[in-house]
Amino acid sequence: MSEPTPALLARAQDEVAELLSDLIRIDTTNTGDTASGKGERAAAEWVAGKLDEVGISSVVHESERGRASLVARIEGRDRSRPALLVHGHLDVVPADPAEWSVHPFSGEERDGYVWGRGAVDMKDMDAMTLALVRDWARTGVQPPRDVVLAFVADEEAGGKLGARYLVEEHPDLFEGCTEAISEVGGFSITVRDDLRLYLVQTAEKGLAWMRLTAGGKPGHGSFVHDDNAVTRLCQAVARLGSARLPTTLTPPMRAFLAAVEDAYGIEIDPDEPEQALARLGSISRMIGAALRNTVNPTMLEAGYKANVIPGTAGATVDGRFLFGQEEEFERQLAGLIGEGVQREWLVHDQAVETTFDGPLVDAMVAALKAEDDGARPVPFTMSGGTDAKSFERLGMRCFGFSPLRLPPDLDFASLFHGIDERVPVESLRFGVRVLDRFLRAC
């Protein structure tokens, strides 16, 4: 493999922030409802145009009108080798402009950052990938094996109309893909000036969004009432919301905690690891959630008039379970929900886990260390979910590897789905360089 040179990557590094800004300006808000969603088709067509400018052909598929995903394949030097998938989603969660310092869909570049909804989740990776492959096409770079690019819809609502649709209806697009990389991994946590942990996602929790419905006897609000649906529901919601489920250390989190112990020179109590994780700053919230199954009420609905006791009351709950913990999670839920409350799955999808080894991981480690001599890559489990849940069904080993060297004082965890979401321009440039080294080597 030839070493990438600054001259070859200059254009990619120069245009990555602009590409991200342009992509943020395409409002791809995903409300979970196709009728009120928008922008995914426009974003897919924009990506297709950017690829077409440099001679990379692509195909766009719609699962429903406007719910578009794009796939392209860059041929490698050795077509007999398995292919690598690089996937990213184009949709974003809603944002209220009144809450932001800048308009969330302005894509404004200010104070060394690109601001806007999707800057971190995950149009940054989309832009880094685009900038790199456009540079490759202009300069005649060919990867060692086929690289398949997928820019998909609907990840923020579980992926049914995006990655899952492609996997079920167009699996031929991913023929030969045995490994995949995507979001929420490869970012840095600064330990000291000469040491940064880079968290590579090798696992993610399973998704269990559910609807709870409690029944009761309707009646007048002024009566004494012993069969109140609202009361029954609220009791279940309170139990769920206040529950602290037992710590369960999975292999990637054991490896992560061992790395933290070594980096900080501390001893971590395996029964109370959160106390030590507080040293990691705000990212400890994300990491801590991967140490156990979790369940959080997020929405409530009941009643239609102040003096009428309704016959039903409902709640929406966000549940997440660790790899290998699905049956235990079901038992935990049953004990917390209790009698008289029905549960219905809204979205239910698998937990995913792989090992932190092999040539692909070696290439990640080498690429990070080549661009940061203080890098120490470590595996971890992500508390949320990605489209890896869909692509794993085709037999791929899935990793979160969207490399960013971050400022030590940046509250990175709060930017996911947060107000004033933004990413440093220098981090984007770093990511382009790391991805170039990685993809040339793997």
Side-chain angles (χ1 to χ4, degrees), residues 15 25 105 159 187 217 222 235 263 374 414 420:
E15 78 168 359
R25 292 186 189 109
F105 298 104
F187 60 90
K217 185 177 181 180
S222 67
Q235 289 170 342
S414 71
D420 286 343

Side-chain angles (χ1 to χ4, degrees), residues 77-84 143-146 176 178-179 359 441-442:
R77 295 190 300 273
D78 185 354
R79 301 300 307 283
S80 68
R81 290 187 58 195
L84 172 71
R145 56 169 163 164
D146 282 11
T178 58
E179 297 166 314
C442 69

Side-chain angles (χ1 to χ4, degrees), residues 275-302:
Q275 295 177 10
L277 291 182
R279 288 174 175 261
L280 303 180
S282 63
I283 202 71
S284 63
R285 300 196 304 274
M286 179 189 293
I287 301 300
L291 298 173
R292 54 174 51 86
N293 299 329
T294 57
V295 57
N296 286 300
T298 55
M299 299 169 64
L300 293 170
E301 182 180 320

Side-chain angles (χ1 to χ4, degrees), residues 249-266:
L249 296 183
T250 58
M253 292 309 291
R254 287 185 184 277
F256 175 77
L257 293 176
V260 170
E261 282 186 318
D262 181 65
Y264 288 91
I266 59 176

Side-chain angles (χ1 to χ4, degrees), residues 396-408:
M396 299 182 210
R397 292 181 72 201
C398 296
F399 297 86
F401 189 66
S402 178
L404 297 170
R405 178 172 172 172
L406 299 170

Side-chain angles (χ1 to χ4, degrees), residues 160-206:
K160 179 182 178 182
L161 301 179
R164 186 59 55 85
Y165 169 79
L166 292 178
V167 164
E168 292 179 349
E169 301 298 327
H170 301 282
D172 55 297
L173 294 172
F174 309 103
E175 182 179 356
C177 289
T178 58
E179 297 166 314
I181 64 166
S182 189
E183 61 179 328
V184 199
F187 60 90
S188 67
I189 297 175
T190 298
V191 179
R192 54 180 186 265
D193 289 345
D194 64 344
L195 177 59
R196 278 161 293 282
L197 300 180
Y198 281 83
L199 279 60
V200 177
Q201 184 204 139
T202 60
E204 61 182 55
K205 296 172 79 174

